[in-house]
Amino acid sequence: MKIKLSIITALFVFAAACSFSTANMSSFETSKDKDGKTKSTTFKAGETIYANAVIANAPGKTTTKIYINDDKGKLLPGSDVKVELASSGTAAYNLPIPASFAGGKFTIVADMLDDKGEKKDSKSVSITIEAGAPAPVAAPAADDKDHDGDKDDK
């Protein structure tokens, strides 16, 4: 009887010493508005991409890394951010798309990291960005008659 009690006590102490976290990302969605009311996976150049990663059951600090990859898996420059939360909550993301953006198919990814930096959950959404108008080409200066970019024409 004492042996059974000792084994049960040892298991209880072991379980209490281990850090079991049920923290997870319960949802990850993209939208056309900050509040996430207008869900969308299609955006136009000149719009802003909004995304909300809902972190649930977090007993402490978490960091959510959100970024966009192109269809070849390459990071879209300037798209990566880290959002720190003290506990459960919503990691909000937004990225304005330049009006002259070339467009294409992309994947927006949210990785949830614990306070030690270990990835505990990840979700992604495939999105399409419609191309915008190409950036206007500047006309040569009036005093650059040979159109070589300098103004020393005489």
Side-chain angles (χ1 to χ4, degrees), residues 5-20:
L5 186 57
S6 296
I7 291 172
I8 291 172
T9 303
L11 288 172
F12 179 74
V13 169
F14 176 75
C18 293
S19 173
F20 294 105

Side-chain angles (χ1 to χ4, degrees), residues 7-154:
I7 291 172
I8 291 172
T9 303
L11 288 172
F12 179 74
V13 169
F14 176 75
C18 293
S19 173
F20 294 105
S21 173
T22 58
N24 65 81
M25 190 181 318
S26 61
S27 68
F28 181 55
E29 297 179 317
T30 55
S31 64
K32 293 196 179 248
D33 62 294
K34 181 176 153 181
D35 297 324
K37 293 179 181 172
T38 310
K39 310 280 187 256
S40 183
T41 57
T42 302
F43 301 89
K44 294 179 183 176
E47 294 182 336
T48 298
I49 299 171
Y50 293 94
N52 289 316
V54 178
I55 308 302
N57 301 320
K61 180 184 153 197
T62 61
T63 300
T64 305
K65 213 170 114 177
I66 305 174
Y67 52 96
I68 299 176
N69 287 332
D70 66 15
D71 59 351
K72 294 179 179 80
K74 185 178 176 187
L75 177 69
L76 186 65
S79 71
D80 55 327
V81 299
K82 290 182 181 179
V83 180
E84 292 188 4
L85 297 173
S87 60
S88 298
T90 301
Y93 174 87
N94 70 79
L95 181 70
I97 308 164
S100 61
F101 193 76
K105 298 205 177 282
F106 300 86
T107 303
I108 182 167
V109 181
D111 294 331
M112 185 192 78
L113 313 173
D114 65 12
D115 60 348
K116 296 175 187 140
E118 296 175 10
K119 186 181 353 179
K120 295 298 180 181
D121 204 351
S122 183
K123 294 194 183 310
S124 64
V125 176
S126 294
I127 61 172
T128 301
I129 302 174
E130 296 174 11
V137 178
D143 55 354
D144 183 17
K145 294 181 172 102
D146 60 359
H147 306 290
D148 62 356
D150 61 17
K151 296 179 183 180
D152 63 354
D153 299 327
K154 306 227 187 265

